[in-house]
Amino acid sequence: MGKNSAEVVFDETNDENSGVTATLCNWIVGLEKKDIPDSVLERGKHLILDGIACGLVGSHVPWSEQAVDAVLAYEPEGQCNLIGYEEKLGPLAAAVLNGGFIQATELDDYHSVAPLHSASVVLGSLFAAAQVKNIKVRGSSANGQSQDAGPARTVSGIDFLTAAIAGFETGPRSGMAIHGTDLLVRGWHSGVVFGCPAAAAASSKLLGLSAVDTESAIGIACTQACGLMAAQFEGMVKRMQHGIAARNGLFGALLARNGYVGIKKVYERNYGGFLNMFSQGNTKTPRYDVREVVAGLGDVWHTSRIRFKLHACVGGCHGLVEAVESLQKAHPERFSGEGLKRLKSLKVGLSETILHHDGWAPHERPLTSTGSQMCAAYISATQLIDSQVLIAQFAESQLNRDEVWELVNKTSCHHDSQFDKPNHQCGAHVVAEFDDGTTVEETVQMPKGFDPPITNDEIRSKYRRLAASVIDEERIEKIEKLVLEIDQLEDVSELLQLLAKPTRKAVD
């Protein structure tokens, strides 16, 4: 392990006395800028920038606006900003909405071994945590009324960045300990499960909690963890579920900072523990491995392993999009105009995880925007027709096009075990057969963005492209400068206020 960690000796079993949860919490509390490689700090900044781009675009899509209207109808005004809105809400409501905005269009980051959308849970919680008021002590004044415990908090940029990296590291580790992608096979929305401790870790770090209180915060977050993957079909709530995880982690930290005691040893407990319970029903041996939570802690940085999306669909289908794109480039006469009309069938091989998650046959026409972004057959048809898979392809006006559905109905998905290897689960093998008997095929083992990773230059280009669809150039440049120099900011409030200014709609 790195310098900022306590050495723990593990036996070969998942021992309740292994000290894993405590080790993680000690590492979170002790984490400082000097412990983090410069390349990881830069990647952390770019993860924040990418999350902001997604949040700016996602704040005014129809389902986000409906969520805001619903929450404003019952939630009182608070102190925390919302991305793209002038209204302010309490920290828990703000965390839900901001996290939901970042995940709203399927353009945010993902981790391919332990699938979660890190920016939505980490930034959703941190934007709110940075603006929470100090604890009020009941009966502390002469007349028995509550008083502020101290002056208003100021959060520096380096504290914000360090807290974000603590969250970026905790989420994937929590997932890898229970075989990550296996949760998707069994119908759990994995990122919402792993996201709860990630949000708690980030919030606890930003709020300055002790290791003991951070352990309580993670325990409180983990007992709220849940997420049903059936949300991907019809409902809007799939967009919100990572925001719910952000709220759960922040809630744990806010309770724990006032001494409220959560579950201790939440990772290693056998009876009712986080890893034991969420590994129930899997066929792995062992079902879970608590050591993964702290494996390489301080030396191996998952912040650098988080992938950035270039397509506005579920990350598991990015290999499929790129395989179809390669076929289009290699055989333009077959995949355009009259040639495309002669396509007889499209057979798509996917990993076991992605087959369960996204390989389902559409059960209705049209699909919802959510369902269409999670359906491999629809995604491949969209790439074939439009030669791109971006937000515009999933606007309501585009979801019932005959030319797309003709291709959807010619597409079938099956399991291809070559993609079951770690880091290959988002790959795809595509076989296209035409009515003259001609067959062409393409394999993408790993979509662009893992090996080699997307560059920081490409991330900035993505940010500018997305942001330009909803805000003006001056604001784009100010946000980018503040984020990329966040470690030099004395107070992040300037950034949060800039994000809160109204935005235009990206898509109707």
Side-chain angles (χ1 to χ4, degrees), residues 146-172:
S146 298
Q147 286 187 329
D148 288 342
R153 295 170 62 246
T154 297
V155 175
S156 71
I158 188 57
D159 285 348
F160 188 96
L161 178 59
T162 305
I165 289 173
F168 295 152
E169 293 299 313
T170 299

Side-chain angles (χ1 to χ4, degrees), residues 364-380:
E364 62 181 0
R365 177 181 173 179
L367 291 170
T368 62
S369 177
T370 306
S372 62
Q373 288 179 289
M374 312 297 291
C375 176
Y378 191 93
I379 291 164
S380 62

Side-chain angles (χ1 to χ4, degrees), residues 135-216:
I135 297 173
K136 291 195 173 188
V137 181
R138 297 185 65 193
S140 58
S141 68
N143 62 6
Q145 298 299 309
S146 298
Q147 286 187 329
D148 288 342
R153 295 170 62 246
T154 297
V155 175
S156 71
I158 188 57
D159 285 348
F160 188 96
L161 178 59
T162 305
I165 289 173
F168 295 152
E169 293 299 313
T170 299
R173 293 172 180 281
S174 302
M176 291 177 71
I178 40 179
H179 304 286
T181 57
D182 182 76
L183 261 72
L184 286 172
V185 173
R186 293 185 287 121
W188 291 107
H189 193 175
S190 58
V192 183
V193 175
F194 314 151
C196 289
S203 300
S204 297
K205 180 66 175 174
L206 196 67
L207 292 170
L209 270 58
S210 68
V212 170
D213 289 339
T214 298
E215 185 168 0
S216 280

Side-chain angles (χ1 to χ4, degrees), residues 251-291:
F251 183 55
L254 292 175
L255 285 178
R257 75 168 178 162
N258 199 35
Y260 195 88
V261 179
I263 298 171
K264 300 298 183 179
K265 301 182 180 181
V266 72
Y267 287 113
E268 57 265 42
R269 285 288 189 200
N270 292 322
Y271 180 73
F274 180 76
L275 302 182
N276 189 22
M277 296 312 296
F278 278 108
S279 65
Q280 296 285 335
N282 79 23
T283 58
K284 309 292 184 179
T285 303
R287 284 193 294 107
Y288 65 97
D289 188 344
V290 68
R291 296 171 294 184

Side-chain angles (χ1 to χ4, degrees), residues 415-427:
H415 178 214
D416 189 331
S417 61
Q418 69 175 305
F419 302 115
D420 291 339
K421 297 177 291 185
N423 295 314
H424 289 70
Q425 286 151 328
C426 300

